[in-house]
Amino acid sequence: MILDPFESGNIVDAWIAENMTLWHAVRPVAPNGPRNAWAQHPDGRPGRACQYPFLRPRPGEWHSDWFAYKLEPSKEVVRKVLRAHLQNQNSRLRYLTTEIIDLPDYGDGARYSLFEHSVALALWIRETEAQLRADLAASLPAESLAA
């Protein structure tokens, strides 16, 4: 299974082609991201790397080096889902939510604001949707855009 949304034959493109996305929960992640060094499960296992700061953390807010480019795969999935929704009047997408949470495998123990990052992610999603809508409107007849 190919997870990388930039590679041909990836699972995201297959799911989009099947029009199976009803709810898209957006969580910023980074391929091979660092384990959550500031949180552990009750049995002592460190948290998995299932969340990555959406904004550059201020000094002392994140336990590892942070690189903006590592968010690009997550962002590309959102772009693909939104683009498909805008181009398909029969799109099943009804919900798009942010999911920056505080469990050991995610942002538990984080010293950056989960709320601030959620807001920034939501604003980025809105700006991205508006830009995609404008790009599509410039290239397609208005009646071909989904609501």
Side-chain angles (χ1 to χ4, degrees):
M1 179 184 301
I2 300 171
L3 298 176
D4 187 338
F6 294 107
E7 296 291 327
S8 62
N10 68 75
I11 192 67
V12 172
D13 290 344
W15 289 339
I16 288 172
E18 293 292 325
N19 193 26
M20 62 188 298
T21 304
L22 178 67
W23 174 21
H24 183 70
V26 181
R27 177 183 309 120
V29 296
N32 300 312
R35 292 194 178 274
N36 186 348
W38 289 344
Q40 54 185 274
H41 292 273
D43 65 4
R45 288 178 299 120
R48 295 178 298 140
C50 296
Q51 188 166 289
Y52 196 74
F54 189 72
L55 302 170
R56 177 180 298 282
R58 291 179 278 278
E61 289 185 337
W62 181 240
H63 49 70
S64 302
D65 291 335
W66 184 89
F67 302 96
Y69 74 87
K70 289 189 173 191
L71 291 168
E72 282 308 307
S74 291
K75 288 180 173 183
E76 184 63 11
V77 170
V78 173
R79 289 183 200 106
K80 285 182 174 211
V81 168
L82 288 172
R83 191 176 295 113
H85 175 67
L86 293 171
Q87 291 175 331
N88 180 359
Q89 291 182 348
N90 296 316
S91 170
R92 296 184 66 224
L93 182 67
R94 296 294 175 265
Y95 311 101
L96 197 145
T97 59
T98 63
E99 194 168 281
I100 297 178
I101 57 179
D102 63 346
L103 297 172
D105 292 333
Y106 305 92
D108 193 22
R111 297 176 185 146
Y112 61 90
S113 168
L114 300 179
F115 179 76
E116 179 183 12
H117 286 244
S118 292
V119 169
L121 177 56
L123 290 172
W124 178 85
I125 291 168
R126 286 183 176 198
E127 291 166 2
T128 299
E129 188 271 340
Q131 183 62 56
L132 290 170
R133 188 176 289 278
D135 292 348
L136 288 168
S139 65
L140 298 172
E143 63 272 5
S144 65
L145 292 178

